[in-house]
Amino acid sequence: MINPKYKKRAKFYKALAHPTRLFIIDQIAQQEKCVCELTEMVGVDISTISKHLSLLKNEGIVVEDKRGKNVYYTLKCPCILTLFDCVKDSLKEDG
């Protein structure tokens, strides 16, 4: 039987397994962003961005800060950027 901690880790990694979510993480790693900014940057409707952000939030990757009508997101798990750098190096990507 697989230990539950591995199932939890797999769920975390699965949250990263989408190009839009990777883009969102890259953007908010640079500076907090509101949902409206991310919607404009990605070019999809607000409900799609909200679903991606909700998944990332549920896995503890991002946190939200509600200010008036806007919701801003920041990276809760900055160590994830080390993983991103490792993957980038393994794939020999530029930037």
Side-chain angles (χ1 to χ4, degrees):
M1 175 112 199
I2 299 291
N3 187 314
K5 73 179 179 184
Y6 296 111
K7 290 182 180 183
K8 190 172 183 176
R9 289 179 192 178
K11 192 175 174 191
F12 179 92
Y13 290 125
K14 187 176 179 181
L16 300 176
H18 193 283
T20 299
R21 291 192 288 270
L22 293 174
F23 176 81
I24 289 170
I25 292 167
D26 269 346
Q27 294 307 305
I28 64 174
Q30 296 172 32
Q31 180 181 357
E32 72 175 6
K33 298 278 190 284
C34 73
V35 175
C36 57
E37 290 173 302
L38 292 167
T39 299
E40 190 175 307
M41 293 170 94
V42 176
V44 297
D45 58 89
I46 197 163
S47 65
T48 300
I49 289 295
S50 293
K51 287 177 188 175
H52 285 301
L53 288 165
S54 178
L55 199 151
L56 293 171
K57 187 176 99 173
N58 289 341
E59 292 308 316
I61 298 168
V62 301
V63 290
E64 67 179 21
D65 179 22
K66 294 179 183 178
R67 295 184 216 148
K69 293 181 180 182
N70 291 323
V71 181
Y72 290 85
Y73 285 85
T74 54
L75 203 54
K76 179 181 180 184
C77 184
C79 61
I80 204 166
L81 300 175
T82 303
L83 172 65
F84 282 14
D85 286 342
C86 179
V87 170
K88 183 177 79 173
D89 291 346
S90 290
L91 297 175
K92 296 178 179 36
E93 291 181 352
D94 296 331

